[in-house]
């Protein structure tokens, strides 16, 4: 999920934070209907995962049904199949038959085809002539894709996902802060200060959702102004990491007074053009993951595809 952008500067403008497309906590969704009963023919091969009746799969497959309204069947199907693949409910080399998917989720062939194309672009499935569409192994997935980051965060790989994201952020964000100190822009500097103030107020009010939004924009902006296009490309990864579940599950730091102080020190160092201080403050911020603090868990809405 990306933040809103100002058409003039390319950065989120003042006052745009409230318009970010975050979802409220999900409502319970309807259970998935069971597949058709087997006849008296010879035993068929194992049913696809979407024909299972276990409640855990039902909850995962429909987790975002309430937040998917208005985003179309295409976006919903991408979410459902993506989650099922990433969670392992549709294992590697599993054949995906468009007709079965269409019948199971009651969508058209066009919706199925477009959804599978999106999943193929993410490296989750492959389509080959005379072979059909199959689930690809984890090694082929685009693990930096924001959707896959989100799906992993809600699946059995969530602990690995959190650790890997923290390690990645520890590697790239201190460098980005160092580089950003030499590429200061008054509008960006003010926006970073605004985000720090918003985080401070959100902490006092116990508003974990607003804290997460402001925190995501803060870190994304630093990567965008580092003057390195490859780091800028990774800003979406960091933003996704901070937005998943409203914060700590995907991020490294917790919303505490100490983390606010580190954010403020980063802002001051960038304003002073002190690259060493900016890098040091960012390292201290990302090292604060042992501190605890309450935060509201929020499941973000599906992205437009």
């Amino acid at each position: 999920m990306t933040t809103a952008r100002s058409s003039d500067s390319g950065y989120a403008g003042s006052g745009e934070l409230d318009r970010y497309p975050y979802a409220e906590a999900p409502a319970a969704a309807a259970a998935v209907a069971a597949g058709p009963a087997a006849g008296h023919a010879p035993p068929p091969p194992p049913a696809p995962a979407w024909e299972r009746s276990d409640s855990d799969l039902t909850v995962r497959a429909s987790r975002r049904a309430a937040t998917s309204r208005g985003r179309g069947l295409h976006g919903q199907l991408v979410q459902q199949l993506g989650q099922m693949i990433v969670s392992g409910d549709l294992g590697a080399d599993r054949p995906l038959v468009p007709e079965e998917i269409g019948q199971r989720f009651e969508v058209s062939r066009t919706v199925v085809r477009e959804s599978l194309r999106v999943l193929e672009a993410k490296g989750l499935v492959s389509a080959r002539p005379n072979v059909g569409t199959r689930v690809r192994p984890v090694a082929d997935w685009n693990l930096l894709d924001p959707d896959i980051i989100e799906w992993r965060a809600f699946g059995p790989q969530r602990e690995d996902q959190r650790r890997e994201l923290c390690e990645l952020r520890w590697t790239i964000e201190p460098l980005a802060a160092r580089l950003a100190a030499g590429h200061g822009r008054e509008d960006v500097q003010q926006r970073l200060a605004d985000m720090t103030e918003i985080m401070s107020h959100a902490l006092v009010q116990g508003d974990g959702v607003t804290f997460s939004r402001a925190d995501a924009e803060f870190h994304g902006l630093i990567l965008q102004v580092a003057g390195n296009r490859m780091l800028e490309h990774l800003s979406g990864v960091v933003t996704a990491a901070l937005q998943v579940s409203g914060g700590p599950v995907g991020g490294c730091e917790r919303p505490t007074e100490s983390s606010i102080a580190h954010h403020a020190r980063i802002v001051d160092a960038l304003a002073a053009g002190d690259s060493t201080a900016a890098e040091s403050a960012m390292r201290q911020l990302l090292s604060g993951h042992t501190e605890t603090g309450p935060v509201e868990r929020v499941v973000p809405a599906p992205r437009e595809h």
Side-chain angles (χ1 to χ4, degrees):
M1 185 182 304
T2 56
T3 57
R5 300 293 182 88
S6 165
S7 59
D8 296 327
S9 65
Y11 298 99
S14 177
E16 291 183 342
L17 189 61
D18 291 340
R19 299 204 301 272
Y20 287 2
Y22 280 74
E24 299 299 329
V32 178
H40 299 287
W50 51 78
E51 296 291 352
R52 298 177 189 171
S53 60
D54 70 281
S55 59
D56 185 54
L57 173 58
T58 298
V59 170
R60 283 200 298 270
S62 60
R63 189 193 301 270
R64 290 175 180 76
T67 62
S68 297
R69 296 190 185 101
R71 293 181 178 266
L73 295 175
H74 170 223
Q76 294 181 44
L77 186 58
V78 168
Q79 284 281 345
Q80 290 175 317
L81 292 179
Q83 278 188 301
M84 295 168 77
I85 292 171
V86 170
S87 68
D89 290 315
L90 293 174
D93 210 34
R94 162 82 69 172
L96 300 178
V97 181
E99 290 77 11
E100 292 181 357
I101 297 174
Q103 292 175 6
R104 179 66 193 89
F105 293 101
E106 299 181 347
V107 295
S108 69
R109 291 174 61 93
T110 299
V111 169
V112 174
R113 183 169 58 250
E114 291 177 352
S115 299
L116 291 177
R117 284 176 180 171
V118 171
L119 296 175
E120 185 174 15
K122 297 175 184 296
L124 294 178
V125 304
S126 63
R128 291 181 294 175
N130 303 321
V131 175
T133 302
R134 292 182 176 270
V135 175
R136 299 173 70 174
V138 178
D140 294 338
W141 298 356
N142 178 8
L143 297 179
L144 298 182
D145 181 280
D147 279 323
I148 295 180
I149 288 174
E150 178 182 316
W151 297 332
R152 290 185 74 202
F154 288 102
Q157 304 174 44
R158 55 184 172 271
E159 291 303 322
D160 287 339
Q161 174 74 105
R162 185 182 187 282
R163 174 183 55 79
E164 291 166 2
L165 284 171
C166 285
E167 291 170 351
L168 178 63
R169 294 186 61 198
W170 175 260
T171 301
I172 65 174
E173 290 196 67
L175 172 60
R178 168 180 282 276
L179 295 175
H183 297 272
R185 278 178 44 178
E186 186 175 344
D187 59 337
V188 176
Q189 187 68 31
Q190 182 59 52
R191 189 62 175 166
L192 290 171
D194 290 344
M195 292 301 100
T196 302
E197 183 176 357
I198 290 173
M199 282 186 277
S200 180
H201 286 301
L203 177 63
V204 172
Q205 297 170 4
D207 186 351
V209 177
T210 298
F211 186 101
S212 177
R213 296 177 182 176
D215 197 22
E217 182 174 341
F218 183 99
H219 290 271
L221 277 173
I222 290 178
L223 285 162
Q224 291 172 34
V225 298
N228 183 304
R229 291 187 177 182
M230 296 187 73
L231 286 177
E232 180 180 353
H233 182 73
L234 292 174
S235 65
V237 176
V238 172
T239 298
L242 287 162
Q243 290 175 348
V244 165
S245 294
V249 171
C252 300
E253 70 275 10
R254 296 291 197 266
T256 64
E257 290 290 350
S258 177
S259 69
I260 297 296
H262 288 314
H263 281 88
R265 279 194 280 272
I266 293 171
V267 173
D268 292 342
L270 294 177
D274 190 336
S275 58
T276 300
E279 179 180 10
S280 176
M282 181 64 79
R283 290 195 184 281
Q284 291 173 15
L285 172 62
L286 297 179
S287 295
H289 62 278
T290 56
E291 301 180 41
T292 59
V295 66
E296 184 177 352
R297 288 177 58 89
V298 174
V299 179
R303 298 176 184 83
E304 297 289 358
H305 295 284

